[in-house]
């Protein structure tokens, strides 16, 4: 597609939230004790703040700078990208990984892409600092969680303030309509919006772009009309001098009102929600040549109207609309509010999905809503929780000014976290001079701290809502990540020694029955404790053993040809293998993924391609008997790095298997043995683990693990459901992890 076509299509998906901000910016800004004087300096000052905030943060910071730090084309992944996409870049370059099981072979992925300019002493020093001080790594992780949780809070606040602001305009024409009916209509629209989420946006998304385009053209045209009708001299307010005059004249009340000004850039953090589907150039073109000028004209026109109508400050947006076009604009405004809300809800689904992949959120049900557009998902549990929270905020507050105070704090916090992470990206990833990173942090960070300080003052008047929501989500995410990490450490500490396995002989001291046993584990090397626990209680196992590790890598996507890594565990006659299944944090496990057949094909291909020289490798046994010259663990680590071929190679291999030969060469005996085992059946063995804090643990840790983590584990999706394991072939092994 052409850049123009992509730019047009991006309007509905990317800019819905940002474009509806004029509905409530001036109303919220002047909701306090800030009074208007005849010389209009307050109005000029507020518009000047809006213009320069919109220009510096939205245009320069996000569009020109932050967007250049996209994660392999994923950019600001649904506002999570503002935090986790930038964080994933830092993790790959500075060893900050929050994910266990990271391997050197992961860095060979094309998506990993850590090569670039030469290392500088500043970047090396910063990397060394984080490596030596794990507490600072933890602090950075908590900062990322804060930004992410505030972004999730936006998913609650955006539908409430957008819909209620749009619907409240009807009271100008129907003056007898009570406020309760406005709230009721808003609630009906919100319920309808969330009730339709399971259908996905693909069926109606073709309407999003024309709605947002019509909305932008409407408000910009009305803005031009108001400028020439009421105050052509409003252009003078573009001078930053009016900002200084505003603060000098209004003092503390002017500073507090800046919490409303920042609402002009709400939604700017979602500008790159679908950078994976739209090119960065198309998004920049749409913003620079349509969205930016239209919104500036809309704010300027409303300021011109207010300069002559001080009494209409709390209903200025709809009052500024000419009588003849009021109802058409009202209808378009309502639809635009719905579109903006939809974009944020979809972004929230993606946030939760990616947090699950990064071990920062309990597993939830994720449904694909489009077979054509990758990444469009629906999460039922999150959808209904968001709906209930939106209804609670709408009914509880019933006031867009208080909602605006809450919204402003959430948005400014996300922006400041992004600025901090971006400063680190400039140093560590881009390897620029420290002066550039400091300049970026000081210029944009100081602006955002100014807005945060104004929003903090409004905590009693609605600002407590995002703080409460963020605290709850942060507690859930941090405890889940902490518990998952501790369980992995327990697995590593209690894994069965390979030397002990070798001493048992090819039969492993058990009866080997026909079939293939797939043992799911969190380890990429060694034999998991769940295997030892199983054979202790049932001394029989399958003829072919495969240890399967499903893990996430801190890249957005992993291609199918790099998805599986096949390797051998132990000597050849033991017939044990390891399969590592890798996913990026935006990858979703397909329910129709033919895993069994692809795995068997990969193992057979590995056996066929295996060199005889590697099979002559010898070992050191636990009995002290020398059976070779290579340490068993090193052998395991080396042989697990044989990667699985792409799907095309697999198809060729399957054809070879069906024919029973390939180019005249018969399959090896071991390959035939594996195929016969496949015909006998495949069993899936999963550890059903329970984490319990050690008796010596502190009260806080016991509460976190024994109460919170245990509750989340019991109420999230089970591993067999997440991994799409057929129940008829499932065998669970219970274990208690003392962490």
């Amino acid at each position: 597609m052409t850049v123009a076509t992509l730019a047009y299509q991006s309007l509905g998906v990317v800019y819905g939230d940002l474009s509806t901000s004029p509905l409530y910016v001036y109303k919220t800004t002047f909701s306090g004790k800030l009074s208007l004087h005849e010389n209009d300096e307050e109005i000029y000052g507020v518009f000047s703040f809006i213009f320069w905030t919109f220009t510096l943060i939205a245009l320069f910071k996000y569009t020109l700078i932050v967007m250049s730090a996209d994660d392999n084309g994923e950019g600001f992944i649904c506002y999570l990208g503002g935090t986790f996409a930038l964080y994933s870049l830092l993790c790959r370059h500075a060893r900050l990984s929050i994910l266990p099981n990271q391997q050197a072979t992961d860095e060979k992925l094309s998506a990993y892409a850590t090569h670039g300019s030469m290392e500088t002493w500043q970047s090396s020093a910063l990397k060394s600092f984080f490596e030596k001080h794990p507490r600072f790594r933890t602090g950075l992780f908590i900062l990322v969680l804060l930004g992410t949780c505030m972004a999730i809070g936006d998913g609650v606040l955006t539908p409430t303030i957008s819909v209620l602001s749009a619907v409240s305009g009807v009271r100008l024409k129907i003056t007898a309509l009570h406020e309760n009916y406005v709230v009721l209509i808003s609630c009906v629209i919100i319920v309808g919006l969330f009730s339709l989420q399971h259908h996905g946006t693909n069926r109606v998304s073709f309407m999003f772009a024309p709605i947002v385009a019509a909305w932008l053209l409407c408000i910009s045209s009305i803005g031009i009309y108001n400028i020439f009708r009421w105050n052509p001299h409003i252009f003078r307010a573009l001078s930053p001098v009016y900002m200084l005059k505003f603060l000098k004249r209004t003092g503390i009340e002017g500073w507090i009102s800046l919490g409303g000004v920042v609402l002009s850039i709400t939604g700017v953090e979602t500008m790159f929600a679908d950078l994976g589907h739209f090119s960065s150039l198309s998004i920049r073109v749409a913003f620079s040549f349509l969205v930016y000028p239209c919104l500036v004209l809309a704010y300027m026109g409303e300021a011109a109207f207010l300069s002559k109508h001080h009494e209409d400050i709390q209903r200025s947006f709809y009052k500024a609309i000419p009588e003849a076009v009021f109802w058409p604009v009202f209808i378009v405004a309502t639809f635009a509010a719905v579109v903006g809300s939809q974009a944020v809800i979809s972004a929230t689904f993606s946030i939760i999905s990616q947090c699950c992949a990064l071990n920062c959120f309990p597993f939830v049900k994720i449904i694909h809503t489009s077979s054509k557009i990758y990444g469009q998902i629906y999460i039922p549990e999150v959808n209904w929780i968001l709906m209930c929270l939106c209804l609670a905020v709408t009914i509880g507050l019933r006031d867009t000014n208080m909602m605006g105070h809450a919204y402003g704090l959430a948005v400014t916090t996300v922006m400041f976290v992004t600025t901090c992470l971006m400063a680190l990206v400039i140093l560590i990833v881009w390897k620029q001079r420290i002066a550039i990173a400091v300049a970026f942090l000081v210029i944009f960070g100081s602006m955002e701290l100014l807005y945060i300080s104004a929003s903090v003052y409004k905590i009693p008047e609605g600002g407590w809502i995002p703080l409460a929501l963020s605290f709850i989500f942060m507690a859930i995410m941090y405890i889940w990540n902490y518990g998952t990490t501790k369980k992995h450490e327990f697995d590593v500490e209690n894994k069965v020694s390979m030397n002990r396995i070798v001493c048992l002989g090819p039969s492993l001291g058990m009866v080997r029955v026909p079939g293939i046993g797939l043992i799911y584990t969190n380890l990429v090397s060694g034999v998991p404790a769940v295997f030892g626990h199983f054979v202790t209680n049932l001394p029989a196992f399958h003829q072919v053993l495969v240890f399967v590790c499903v893990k996430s890598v801190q890249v957005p996507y992993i291609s199918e040809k790099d998805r599986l890594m096949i390797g051998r565990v132990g000597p050849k006659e033991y017939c044990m293998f390891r399969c590592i299944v890798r996913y990026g944090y935006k990858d979703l496990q397909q329910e129709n993924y033919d895993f069994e057949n692809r795995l068997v094909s990969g193992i057979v291909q590995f056996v066929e391609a295996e060199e005889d020289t590697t099979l002559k490798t010898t070992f050191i046994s636990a009995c002290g008997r020398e059976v070779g010259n290579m340490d068993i663990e090193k052998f395991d680590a080396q042989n697990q790095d044989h990667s699985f071929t792409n799907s095309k190679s697999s198809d060729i291999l399957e054809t070879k298997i069906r024919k029973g030969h390939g180019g005249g060469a018969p399959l090896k005996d071991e390959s035939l043995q594996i195929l016969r085992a496949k015909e006998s059946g495949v069993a899936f063995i999963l550890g059903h683990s329970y984490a319990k804090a050690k008796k010596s643990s502190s009260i806080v840790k016991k509460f976190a693990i024994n109460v919170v983590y245990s509750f989340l584990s019991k109420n999230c999706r089970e591993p067999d459901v997440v991994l799409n394991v057929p129940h008829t072939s499932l065998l669970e092994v219970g274990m208690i992890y003392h962490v």
Side-chain angles (χ1 to χ4, degrees), residues 104-409:
T105 51
D106 297 335
E107 300 179 13
K108 298 177 182 178
L109 292 167
S110 58
Y112 215 87
T114 59
H115 59 277
S117 56
M118 294 293 293
E119 194 81 26
T120 64
W121 70 266
Q122 293 102 326
S123 62
S124 298
L126 196 55
K127 289 180 183 179
S128 177
F129 176 79
F130 279 114
E131 290 176 2
K132 293 178 180 178
H133 299 85
R135 289 187 177 181
F136 284 93
R137 292 202 302 269
T138 303
L140 182 62
F141 176 58
I142 292 175
L143 182 69
V144 171
L145 289 185
L146 174 63
T148 302
C149 293
M150 282 291 188
I152 295 174
D154 284 357
V156 175
L157 297 171
T158 298
T160 57
I161 191 172
S162 298
V163 173
L164 187 59
S165 297
V167 173
S168 61
V170 75
R171 296 186 68 191
L172 289 179
K173 297 300 180 183
I174 309 176
T175 55
L177 189 66
H178 194 272
E179 179 189 11
N180 291 341
Y181 291 103
V182 174
V183 174
L184 178 61
I185 295 171
S186 301
C187 289
V188 170
I189 294 175
I190 289 173
V191 170
L193 177 63
F194 282 98
S195 298
L196 294 175
Q197 290 301 312
H198 69 279
H199 293 296
T201 60
N202 57 302
R203 297 184 181 180
V204 292
S205 57
F206 69 93
M207 287 294 296
F208 287 179
I211 288 174
V212 175
W215 168 249
L216 289 171
L217 293 176
C218 280
I219 60 177
S220 60
S221 300
I222 293 171
I224 294 172
Y225 168 82
N226 286 324
I227 291 170
F228 288 100
R229 170 79 185 275
W230 302 111
N231 190 354
H233 301 294
I234 193 67
F235 287 98
R236 296 175 182 173
L238 295 177
S239 170
V241 173
Y242 283 94
M243 291 192 294
L244 299 177
K245 289 183 177 180
F246 171 79
L247 291 177
K248 184 177 180 180
R249 184 183 182 93
T250 59
I252 190 171
E253 293 301 330
W255 163 67
I256 294 172
S257 69
L258 295 181
V261 170
V262 77
L263 296 179
S264 62
I265 50 175
T266 54
V268 71
E269 70 278 5
T270 64
M271 284 173 59
F272 315 109
D274 271 296
L275 189 52
H277 300 126
F278 302 104
S279 66
S280 58
L281 179 60
S282 65
I283 292 178
R284 283 170 168 158
V285 166
F287 181 78
S288 303
F289 294 99
L290 182 62
V291 178
Y292 177 77
C294 285
L295 288 176
V296 169
L297 287 172
Y299 288 121
M300 187 182 295
E302 192 171 345
F305 174 84
L306 278 174
S307 66
K308 305 300 180 183
H309 302 83
H310 292 184
E311 70 281 0
D312 293 325
I313 191 66
Q314 282 302 302
R315 45 186 179 175
S316 60
F317 179 81
Y318 281 110
K319 275 287 189 177
I321 299 174
E323 187 74 23
V325 295
F326 177 86
W327 286 111
V329 174
F330 172 78
I331 294 171
V332 175
T334 304
F335 278 111
V338 171
V339 171
S341 302
Q342 175 61 58
V344 175
I345 293 169
S346 298
T348 305
F349 290 157
S350 187
I351 288 176
I352 300 298
S353 171
Q354 294 164 30
C355 286
C356 290
L358 295 172
N359 289 339
C360 292
F361 202 83
F363 296 117
V364 291
K365 184 178 183 180
I366 300 174
I367 300 173
H368 298 261
T369 59
S370 174
S371 58
K372 297 180 180 179
I373 304 177
Y374 186 83
Q376 286 195 358
I377 59 174
Y378 167 66
I379 305 178
E381 298 94 334
V382 174
N383 182 69
W384 302 123
I385 291 174
L386 285 179
M387 187 190 76
C388 293
L389 290 173
C390 285
L391 292 176
V393 172
T394 304
I395 297 171
L397 296 184
R398 309 165 70 90
D399 181 8
T400 55
N401 290 331
M402 294 186 69
M403 294 177 186
H405 301 155
Y407 201 8
L409 181 59

Side-chain angles (χ1 to χ4, degrees), residues 515-635:
I516 297 178
L518 304 183
I519 306 168
Y520 282 83
T521 172
N522 293 322
L523 301 177
V524 294
S525 64
V527 178
V530 66
F531 177 69
H533 189 67
F534 177 85
V535 298
T536 300
N537 295 278
L538 184 64
F541 216 83
H542 298 85
Q543 183 180 5
V544 178
L545 301 182
V546 184
F547 298 102
V548 180
C549 175
V550 180
K551 73 169 191 174
S552 294
V553 181
Q554 283 175 323
V555 295
Y557 299 104
I558 293 180
S559 62
E560 286 301 320
K561 67 182 179 65
D562 294 325
R563 177 81 65 211
L564 303 183
M565 292 196 339
I566 307 292
R568 189 183 292 280
V569 178
K572 176 181 177 181
E573 57 270 20
Y574 285 53
C575 208
M576 296 193 301
F577 301 90
R578 187 183 312 282
C579 173
I580 300 175
V581 189
R582 301 184 292 185
Y583 288 95
Y585 57 76
K586 283 205 75 178
D587 278 324
L588 295 174
Q589 298 182 29
Q590 304 292 328
E591 294 182 2
N592 57 355
Y593 190 71
D594 191 13
F595 179 71
E596 292 180 37
N597 291 329
R598 297 198 67 179
L599 174 61
V600 172
S601 296
I603 294 175
V604 172
Q605 185 172 356
F606 170 78
V607 171
E608 292 296 305
E610 199 173 25
E611 295 290 341
D612 290 339
T613 53
T614 63
L615 298 180
K616 294 178 182 178
T617 307
T618 51
F619 308 89
I620 303 294
S621 74
C623 315
R625 177 173 54 89
E626 180 172 339
V627 289
N629 54 18
M630 176 177 280
D631 185 86
I632 252 334
E633 296 291 345
K634 291 181 180 178
F635 176 82

